[in-house]
Amino acid sequence: QLVESGGGSVQAGGSLRLSCVVSGNIYSIYNMDWYRQAPGKEREMVASITRKGSASYADSVRGRFTISRDNAKNTVYLQMNSLKSEDTAVYYCHVEGNHGTYPWLSEFDSWGQGTQVTVSS
């Protein structure tokens, strides 16, 4: 189960920090991603981070957003600075990994419920 938090309303130029906690009998987590979907638009990847901490970003957010993760807490964060009105969207975390007790593992591919981010100009 993925539980997101941290969304809200902010003025342009402001900051927000999103969190996504993965719960359950987690054995390992591969990449952790943040996606967003604005009204009338397709869902797009915003940022991704590998287990070792290598991050990648969409061109539209590079330099303003920072993705990070805490493997001990099974949590991924998205620090969003210098927010723009075009960042307004529902933000979703996406996680893939294994759950269960070794060697009886099964893969999972899960999405969070989404959290609304609204940036007013």
Side-chain angles (χ1 to χ4, degrees):
Q1 183 181 3
L2 276 60
V3 178
E4 302 166 0
S5 61
S9 297
V10 66
Q11 290 190 334
S15 298
L16 285 172
R17 188 191 195 210
L18 306 182
S19 300
C20 175
V21 180
V22 186
S23 63
N25 189 13
I26 305 299
Y27 180 78
S28 64
I29 297 177
Y30 310 142
N31 286 11
M32 306 179 86
D33 318 305
W34 286 99
Y35 283 73
R36 67 185 181 187
Q37 187 166 19
K41 295 187 177 181
E42 294 186 355
R43 190 173 297 189
E44 62 173 353
M45 181 182 284
V46 174
S48 180
I49 187 167
T50 67
R51 180 169 179 80
K52 293 186 176 181
S54 178
S56 58
Y57 300 92
D59 289 342
S60 58
V61 307
R62 188 175 294 111
R64 300 187 297 120
F65 290 10
T66 302
I67 189 172
S68 60
R69 64 190 283 174
D70 184 332
N71 291 331
K73 296 181 179 179
N74 291 333
T75 301
V76 61
Y77 306 96
L78 186 67
Q79 177 67 42
M80 304 185 294
N81 298 329
S82 302
L83 282 161
K84 306 175 181 179
S85 57
E86 51 262 45
D87 295 319
T88 295
V90 178
Y91 284 71
Y92 300 89
C93 68
H94 172 249
V95 175
E96 296 178 272
N98 286 305
H99 63 91
T101 302
Y102 188 85
W104 303 282
L105 303 176
S106 57
E107 294 184 341
F108 70 90
D109 183 334
S110 298
W111 292 85
Q113 79 283 3
T115 185
Q116 177 69 47
V117 171
T118 302
V119 184
S120 57
S121 56

